[in-house]
Amino acid sequence: MIENLNGIYETIMYRSLNGIRLYHNRENEDYPVHWHRALEIIMPYRNTYSIKITNQSITLEEGDILLIPPGELHALSYSPNGERLIAQLDFSAINQLGGMDSLIHLSHPFMLLRKNDNPDFMKELSYCLSEIEREYFANDLFAETAIYSLYLRFFTLLGRSTVNAAVKFPDIAPSKQHEYLEKFMAVCNFINDHCTEDLTVDELAIRAGFSKSHFSRLFKQFTGMTCYAYLINKRIAYAERLLISPTLSIMDAAMQSGFNSLCTFNRIFKSVKDCTPSQYRQLNRQYCASTKAQDLTN
């Protein structure tokens, strides 16, 4: 079971290793909708594993890898006789390294890597995760250092594959591809930091040095979604954290998240999260009440 669940917020218990928590999970138990500030990586060893993230359902096969960025609502459903690695990492420890912030933002709401899509690449990634697990449970000297070095190798491989200038901008001259990559990484970071403000595509295009139409096309190539959709997803993620507070009204949460009307906020929140803001808040309260009731009976 989840060790420390307050409503739908999970506090990760890192134990002896700073910012690192692993489970070799064989439990025949579902985990309810929850979120946490850690990055989560799941890799089934045996049988399948089902995950629901926002309004999307995913079935992981043996050898697939799923990354769930910090702050994403998700629920887990077991398969009988299943076995999987569940790794949780305090991403803030390595988030300041070059490119890491962009990589994690590009992975929202999740990043799914199928074993058979690129077998050699997946073999390298799964090796890193298996070695992380071995070091974690062996608990030898310098285990924490070894694990972080393996995580850095894992994210280096993943980042070079994901944030690849030639793949993102195949129709741009090779001499310009890296420049374009840096520009759009900077734009995404700007949106991440200012998502609650009144940003416009025109303003972002000027910041990147492109016309609005050219910028819009390139942004979608880079992120896989429109600039507007990217901005909305960041605002909704910000709103989720505000809705956890019982003292803040839904209207205030909407306004502070960058939405100019409650009607718009309700409609967009439901389309992204598959529930209304009030249902989201109620979901959190229900789990809080359930947890308190269990505590009283124990």
Side-chain angles (χ1 to χ4, degrees):
M1 63 180 293
I2 297 176
E3 291 182 293
N4 194 332
L5 188 64
N6 181 14
I8 54 176
Y9 173 66
E10 178 187 5
T11 300
I12 307 298
M13 310 300 289
Y14 287 116
R15 310 290 184 193
S16 58
L17 296 182
N18 184 36
I20 301 166
R21 188 75 166 109
L22 262 74
Y23 301 88
H24 191 109
N25 182 275
R26 300 183 181 90
E27 294 181 6
N28 292 335
E29 180 181 1
D30 294 340
Y31 298 122
V33 173
H34 64 284
W35 68 278
H36 41 67
R37 300 186 188 280
L39 169 76
E40 186 162 328
I41 303 174
I42 302 173
M43 182 175 69
Y45 288 131
R46 183 162 56 95
N47 219 326
T48 61
Y49 203 40
S50 298
I51 297 96
K52 185 171 184 180
I53 305 178
T54 60
N55 57 355
Q56 301 183 63
S57 297
I58 302 160
T59 298
L60 294 182
E61 306 291 338
E62 294 178 13
D64 292 343
I65 296 174
L66 179 71
L67 277 75
I68 305 174
E72 289 292 339
L73 275 176
H74 58 287
L76 310 174
S77 301
Y78 78 93
S79 293
N81 303 314
E83 187 175 348
R84 74 286 300 183
L85 170 67
I86 300 178
Q88 296 170 324
L89 175 68
D90 179 2
F91 199 72
S92 63
I94 56 176
N95 194 45
Q96 301 305 313
L97 298 177
M100 296 298 291
D101 185 57
S102 296
L103 174 62
I104 202 64
H105 285 299
L106 287 174
S107 67
H108 282 283
F110 60 86
M111 183 181 292
L112 175 59
L113 305 164
R114 294 291 188 188
K115 178 181 180 180
N116 296 325
D117 286 348
N118 188 340
D120 291 338
F121 173 64
M122 290 298 292
K123 187 176 180 180
E124 289 188 80
L125 293 182
S126 62
Y127 173 78
C128 289
L129 294 179
S130 297
E131 282 295 292
I132 287 170
E133 181 178 4
R134 184 187 64 78
E135 289 281 358
Y136 183 85
F137 290 108
N139 200 26
D140 291 333
L141 289 172
F142 298 101
E144 187 176 302
T145 303
I147 290 171
Y148 270 108
S149 69
L150 287 161
Y151 266 125
L152 290 175
R153 176 60 178 163
F154 177 89
F155 287 117
T156 298
L157 291 168
L158 186 61
R160 286 177 175 172
S161 173
T162 303
V163 190
N164 186 310
V167 173
K168 295 292 185 183
F169 305 114
D171 52 344
I172 303 300
S175 60
K176 288 285 188 178
Q177 286 174 345
H178 188 71
E179 176 188 336
Y180 276 42
L181 194 64
E182 289 186 338
K183 283 187 176 183
F184 281 92
M185 287 173 67
V187 168
C188 286
N189 289 336
F190 182 81
I191 295 174
N192 301 337
D193 293 337
H194 301 273
C195 65
T196 61
E197 300 172 17
D198 186 21
L199 301 180
T200 66
V201 176
D202 297 85
E203 174 191 350
L204 295 170
I206 292 171
R207 173 173 288 273
F210 299 108
S211 68
K212 180 179 178 181
S213 60
H214 193 46
F215 170 81
S216 298
R217 180 177 64 82
L218 292 173
F219 189 93
K220 189 169 184 179
Q221 282 183 218
F222 182 67
T223 63
M225 64 181 73
T226 66
C227 186
Y228 176 75
Y230 187 91
L231 174 60
I232 288 299
N233 281 332
K234 297 305 171 189
R235 286 178 175 172
I236 292 297
Y238 189 89
E240 287 178 71
R241 308 291 77 80
L242 297 179
L243 289 169
I244 296 297
S245 170
T247 60
L248 193 69
S249 71
I250 291 177
M251 172 64 84
D252 286 339
M255 296 299 107
Q256 291 182 31
S257 302
F259 294 92
N260 55 18
S261 81
L262 183 60
C263 180
T264 300
F265 176 59
N266 285 333
R267 175 177 54 80
I268 293 177
F269 193 97
K270 183 171 176 56
S271 70
V272 174
K273 308 302 294 186
D274 203 28
C275 65
T276 65
S278 58
Q279 288 170 335
Y280 177 91
R281 174 169 277 175
Q282 185 61 31
L283 180 66
N284 185 59
R285 289 174 179 170
Q286 286 171 354
Y287 281 120
C288 278
S290 175
T291 301
K292 289 178 182 177
Q294 280 189 334
D295 289 342
L296 289 174
T297 57
N298 289 339

mmCIF file of all heavy atoms in Angstrom, residues 75-97:
data_model
loop_
_atom_site.group_PDB
_atom_site.id
_atom_site.type_symbol
_atom_site.label_atom_id
_atom_site.label_comp_id
_atom_site.label_asym_id
_atom_site.label_seq_id
_atom_site.Cartn_x
_atom_site.Cartn_y
_atom_site.Cartn_z
ATOM 1 N N ALA A 75 -3.371 6.595 -11.145
ATOM 2 C CA ALA A 75 -3.846 5.455 -10.365
ATOM 3 C C ALA A 75 -3.273 4.191 -10.994
ATOM 4 O O ALA A 75 -3.072 4.122 -12.215
ATOM 5 C CB ALA A 75 -5.371 5.407 -10.367
ATOM 6 N N LEU A 76 -2.984 3.183 -10.169
ATOM 7 C CA LEU A 76 -2.321 1.960 -10.624
ATOM 8 C C LEU A 76 -3.208 0.755 -10.349
ATOM 9 O O LEU A 76 -3.811 0.648 -9.280
ATOM 10 C CB LEU A 76 -0.976 1.788 -9.913
ATOM 11 C CG LEU A 76 -0.038 3.009 -9.914
ATOM 12 C CD1 LEU A 76 1.192 2.738 -9.056
ATOM 13 C CD2 LEU A 76 0.375 3.366 -11.329
ATOM 14 N N SER A 77 -3.273 -0.164 -11.329
ATOM 15 C CA SER A 77 -4.071 -1.385 -11.181
ATOM 16 C C SER A 77 -3.193 -2.592 -11.470
ATOM 17 O O SER A 77 -2.543 -2.665 -12.521
ATOM 18 C CB SER A 77 -5.265 -1.376 -12.140
ATOM 19 O OG SER A 77 -6.096 -0.262 -11.894
ATOM 20 N N TYR A 78 -3.192 -3.557 -10.548
ATOM 21 C CA TYR A 78 -2.314 -4.709 -10.666
ATOM 22 C C TYR A 78 -2.868 -5.763 -11.613
ATOM 23 O O TYR A 78 -4.064 -5.785 -11.920
ATOM 24 C CB TYR A 78 -2.076 -5.331 -9.296
ATOM 25 C CG TYR A 78 -3.227 -6.180 -8.796
ATOM 26 C CD1 TYR A 78 -3.255 -7.557 -9.031
ATOM 27 C CD2 TYR A 78 -4.281 -5.607 -8.083
ATOM 28 C CE1 TYR A 78 -4.313 -8.340 -8.573
ATOM 29 C CE2 TYR A 78 -5.334 -6.384 -7.626
ATOM 30 C CZ TYR A 78 -5.347 -7.750 -7.876
ATOM 31 O OH TYR A 78 -6.392 -8.525 -7.431
ATOM 32 N N SER A 79 -1.972 -6.633 -12.081
ATOM 33 C CA SER A 79 -2.343 -7.878 -12.746
ATOM 34 C C SER A 79 -1.895 -9.018 -11.843
ATOM 35 O O SER A 79 -0.819 -8.953 -11.241
ATOM 36 C CB SER A 79 -1.646 -8.003 -14.107
ATOM 37 O OG SER A 79 -2.116 -7.024 -15.000
ATOM 38 N N PRO A 80 -2.707 -10.091 -11.702
ATOM 39 C CA PRO A 80 -2.317 -11.213 -10.839
ATOM 40 C C PRO A 80 -0.953 -11.773 -11.251
ATOM 41 O O PRO A 80 -0.624 -11.840 -12.435
ATOM 42 C CB PRO A 80 -3.427 -12.239 -11.073
ATOM 43 C CG PRO A 80 -4.601 -11.428 -11.527
ATOM 44 C CD PRO A 80 -4.022 -10.290 -12.321
ATOM 45 N N ASN A 81 -0.152 -12.107 -10.249
ATOM 46 C CA ASN A 81 1.190 -12.660 -10.468
ATOM 47 C C ASN A 81 2.115 -11.683 -11.182
ATOM 48 O O ASN A 81 3.070 -12.094 -11.848
ATOM 49 C CB ASN A 81 1.113 -13.973 -11.258
ATOM 50 C CG ASN A 81 0.241 -15.007 -10.564
ATOM 51 O OD1 ASN A 81 0.363 -15.207 -9.354
ATOM 52 N ND2 ASN A 81 -0.653 -15.632 -11.315
ATOM 53 N N GLY A 82 1.831 -10.418 -11.053
ATOM 54 C CA GLY A 82 2.676 -9.418 -11.689
ATOM 55 C C GLY A 82 3.889 -9.075 -10.849
ATOM 56 O O GLY A 82 3.946 -9.317 -9.642
ATOM 57 N N GLU A 83 4.891 -8.486 -11.511
ATOM 58 C CA GLU A 83 6.129 -8.085 -10.839
ATOM 59 C C GLU A 83 6.667 -6.891 -11.595
ATOM 60 O O GLU A 83 6.799 -6.934 -12.820
ATOM 61 C CB GLU A 83 7.117 -9.251 -10.870
ATOM 62 C CG GLU A 83 8.381 -9.058 -10.080
ATOM 63 C CD GLU A 83 9.242 -10.325 -10.080
ATOM 64 O OE1 GLU A 83 8.750 -11.393 -10.499
ATOM 65 O OE2 GLU A 83 10.408 -10.223 -9.669
ATOM 66 N N ARG A 84 6.963 -5.831 -10.868
ATOM 67 C CA ARG A 84 7.417 -4.631 -11.572
ATOM 68 C C ARG A 84 8.316 -3.784 -10.671
ATOM 69 O O ARG A 84 8.242 -3.872 -9.432
ATOM 70 C CB ARG A 84 6.231 -3.806 -12.065
ATOM 71 C CG ARG A 84 5.428 -3.011 -11.047
ATOM 72 C CD ARG A 84 4.510 -3.817 -10.161
ATOM 73 N NE ARG A 84 3.488 -4.570 -10.877
ATOM 74 C CZ ARG A 84 2.557 -5.283 -10.267
ATOM 75 N NH1 ARG A 84 2.548 -5.378 -8.939
ATOM 76 N NH2 ARG A 84 1.659 -5.959 -10.954
ATOM 77 N N LEU A 85 9.146 -2.984 -11.324
ATOM 78 C CA LEU A 85 9.973 -2.012 -10.619
ATOM 79 C C LEU A 85 9.210 -0.695 -10.560
ATOM 80 O O LEU A 85 8.707 -0.221 -11.590
ATOM 81 C CB LEU A 85 11.299 -1.805 -11.350
ATOM 82 C CG LEU A 85 12.170 -0.639 -10.876
ATOM 83 C CD1 LEU A 85 12.691 -0.905 -9.473
ATOM 84 C CD2 LEU A 85 13.323 -0.383 -11.835
ATOM 85 N N ILE A 86 9.126 -0.119 -9.384
ATOM 86 C CA ILE A 86 8.569 1.220 -9.208
ATOM 87 C C ILE A 86 9.648 2.064 -8.542
ATOM 88 O O ILE A 86 10.049 1.786 -7.406
ATOM 89 C CB ILE A 86 7.283 1.206 -8.360
ATOM 90 C CG1 ILE A 86 6.202 0.349 -9.032
ATOM 91 C CG2 ILE A 86 6.773 2.633 -8.149
ATOM 92 C CD1 ILE A 86 4.915 0.241 -8.228
ATOM 93 N N ALA A 87 10.138 3.052 -9.259
ATOM 94 C CA ALA A 87 11.225 3.897 -8.760
ATOM 95 C C ALA A 87 10.731 5.329 -8.631
ATOM 96 O O ALA A 87 10.122 5.869 -9.558
ATOM 97 C CB ALA A 87 12.421 3.828 -9.704
ATOM 98 N N GLN A 88 10.979 5.950 -7.495
ATOM 99 C CA GLN A 88 10.593 7.336 -7.247
ATOM 100 C C GLN A 88 11.850 8.148 -6.935
ATOM 101 O O GLN A 88 12.690 7.719 -6.144
ATOM 102 C CB GLN A 88 9.589 7.413 -6.099
ATOM 103 C CG GLN A 88 8.274 6.710 -6.436
ATOM 104 C CD GLN A 88 7.363 6.555 -5.228
ATOM 105 O OE1 GLN A 88 7.829 6.329 -4.120
ATOM 106 N NE2 GLN A 88 6.067 6.663 -5.436
ATOM 107 N N LEU A 89 11.944 9.293 -7.572
ATOM 108 C CA LEU A 89 13.160 10.105 -7.482
ATOM 109 C C LEU A 89 12.800 11.560 -7.245
ATOM 110 O O LEU A 89 11.963 12.127 -7.950
ATOM 111 C CB LEU A 89 13.968 9.984 -8.780
ATOM 112 C CG LEU A 89 15.208 10.873 -8.907
ATOM 113 C CD1 LEU A 89 16.292 10.444 -7.936
ATOM 114 C CD2 LEU A 89 15.743 10.845 -10.345
ATOM 115 N N ASP A 90 13.428 12.165 -6.246
ATOM 116 C CA ASP A 90 13.293 13.603 -6.026
ATOM 117 C C ASP A 90 14.061 14.307 -7.148
ATOM 118 O O ASP A 90 15.278 14.458 -7.095
ATOM 119 C CB ASP A 90 13.870 13.984 -4.661
ATOM 120 C CG ASP A 90 13.765 15.487 -4.391
ATOM 121 O OD1 ASP A 90 13.222 16.203 -5.242
ATOM 122 O OD2 ASP A 90 14.243 15.922 -3.337
ATOM 123 N N PHE A 91 13.320 14.726 -8.167
ATOM 124 C CA PHE A 91 13.944 15.231 -9.382
ATOM 125 C C PHE A 91 14.654 16.565 -9.168
ATOM 126 O O PHE A 91 15.508 16.952 -9.972
ATOM 127 C CB PHE A 91 12.884 15.379 -10.483
ATOM 128 C CG PHE A 91 13.441 15.454 -11.865
ATOM 129 C CD1 PHE A 91 13.973 14.332 -12.481
ATOM 130 C CD2 PHE A 91 13.449 16.651 -12.564
ATOM 131 C CE1 PHE A 91 14.501 14.400 -13.760
ATOM 132 C CE2 PHE A 91 13.964 16.721 -13.839
ATOM 133 C CZ PHE A 91 14.488 15.593 -14.442
ATOM 134 N N SER A 92 14.316 17.259 -8.078
ATOM 135 C CA SER A 92 14.942 18.562 -7.826
ATOM 136 C C SER A 92 16.451 18.435 -7.627
ATOM 137 O O SER A 92 17.196 19.394 -7.828
ATOM 138 C CB SER A 92 14.323 19.224 -6.591
ATOM 139 O OG SER A 92 14.564 18.455 -5.423
ATOM 140 N N ALA A 93 16.907 17.230 -7.268
ATOM 141 C CA ALA A 93 18.336 17.020 -7.030
ATOM 142 C C ALA A 93 19.158 17.136 -8.310
ATOM 143 O O ALA A 93 20.347 17.455 -8.267
ATOM 144 C CB ALA A 93 18.560 15.653 -6.384
ATOM 145 N N ILE A 94 18.534 16.853 -9.452
ATOM 146 C CA ILE A 94 19.275 16.909 -10.722
ATOM 147 C C ILE A 94 18.606 17.827 -11.740
ATOM 148 O O ILE A 94 19.070 17.952 -12.869
ATOM 149 C CB ILE A 94 19.437 15.493 -11.344
ATOM 150 C CG1 ILE A 94 18.084 14.817 -11.531
ATOM 151 C CG2 ILE A 94 20.347 14.640 -10.484
ATOM 152 C CD1 ILE A 94 18.178 13.464 -12.227
ATOM 153 N N ASN A 95 17.536 18.515 -11.320
ATOM 154 C CA ASN A 95 16.763 19.327 -12.248
ATOM 155 C C ASN A 95 17.542 20.521 -12.793
ATOM 156 O O ASN A 95 17.227 21.035 -13.869
ATOM 157 C CB ASN A 95 15.488 19.818 -11.551
ATOM 158 C CG ASN A 95 14.476 20.388 -12.520
ATOM 159 O OD1 ASN A 95 14.218 19.803 -13.571
ATOM 160 N ND2 ASN A 95 13.910 21.522 -12.189
ATOM 161 N N GLN A 96 18.558 20.968 -12.049
ATOM 162 C CA GLN A 96 19.307 22.153 -12.469
ATOM 163 C C GLN A 96 20.373 21.835 -13.514
ATOM 164 O O GLN A 96 20.975 22.748 -14.082
ATOM 165 C CB GLN A 96 19.973 22.804 -11.245
ATOM 166 C CG GLN A 96 18.989 23.241 -10.166
ATOM 167 C CD GLN A 96 17.909 24.160 -10.687
ATOM 168 O OE1 GLN A 96 18.205 25.116 -11.397
ATOM 169 N NE2 GLN A 96 16.667 23.877 -10.338
ATOM 170 N N LEU A 97 20.616 20.566 -13.769
ATOM 171 C CA LEU A 97 21.599 20.201 -14.788
ATOM 172 C C LEU A 97 21.064 20.546 -16.180
ATOM 173 O O LEU A 97 19.860 20.483 -16.424
ATOM 174 C CB LEU A 97 21.926 18.705 -14.700
ATOM 175 C CG LEU A 97 22.566 18.248 -13.379
ATOM 176 C CD1 LEU A 97 22.770 16.732 -13.392
ATOM 177 C CD2 LEU A 97 23.902 18.950 -13.158
#
